[in-house]
Amino acid sequence: MTDEEKREREQNVVAKMIGLYCKKNHKNKRKELCRECKELLEYANLRSQKCPHIKEKTFCSACKTHCYSPQMREKIRKVMRFSGPRMIFYHPVLALWHVVVTIQQKKQQKRGKVNV
């Protein structure tokens, strides 16, 4: 998988999670995100575009460098905590993919290999 494909997949997953969070917590009936969630998504996409570790990392949570500002990190953490467990019902393929990659990453870390 190329760096750009990894970046696009990461941005897609984050967009789905923020969309789910916004729909359920901000009672947004339209397909659009509310202003706050749109800003968070734009920020997350910008951070992803500038990520220097895209080759080695799997997910931002596993990254050695945290590039989100403390305020935005707390917002995205809140979204992830809410949306993560619900992804299996709304986006099961993405949820299963995430579990598989996380397990692979933990096995590689145990063996002392670099994350891919």
Side-chain angles (χ1 to χ4, degrees), residues 41-92:
L41 179 59
E42 288 170 2
Y43 183 83
N45 286 340
L46 178 66
R47 300 308 332 158
S48 176
Q49 285 298 326
K50 294 184 176 193
C51 180
H53 304 291
I54 197 72
K55 286 186 189 326
E56 305 96 37
K57 73 173 188 149
T58 51
F59 307 110
C60 289
S61 60
C63 191
K64 55 189 168 200
T65 306
H66 294 290
C67 61
Y68 280 49
S69 70
Q71 178 186 7
M72 294 304 246
R73 189 178 321 154
E74 190 52 42
K75 285 182 181 184
I76 198 73
R77 192 177 287 147
K78 190 174 180 182
V79 167
M80 298 295 167
R81 283 188 184 138
F82 177 85
S83 297
R86 291 163 178 82
M87 289 292 283
I88 195 72
F89 302 110
Y90 293 92
H91 303 287

Side-chain angles (χ1 to χ4, degrees), residues 82-109:
F82 177 85
S83 297
R86 291 163 178 82
M87 289 292 283
I88 195 72
F89 302 110
Y90 293 92
H91 303 287
V93 174
L94 286 177
L96 291 173
W97 169 78
H98 190 280
V99 170
V100 168
V101 172
T102 301
I103 291 169
Q104 289 173 343
Q105 177 188 359
K106 288 184 181 189
K107 284 181 181 179
Q108 287 176 348
Q109 285 176 341

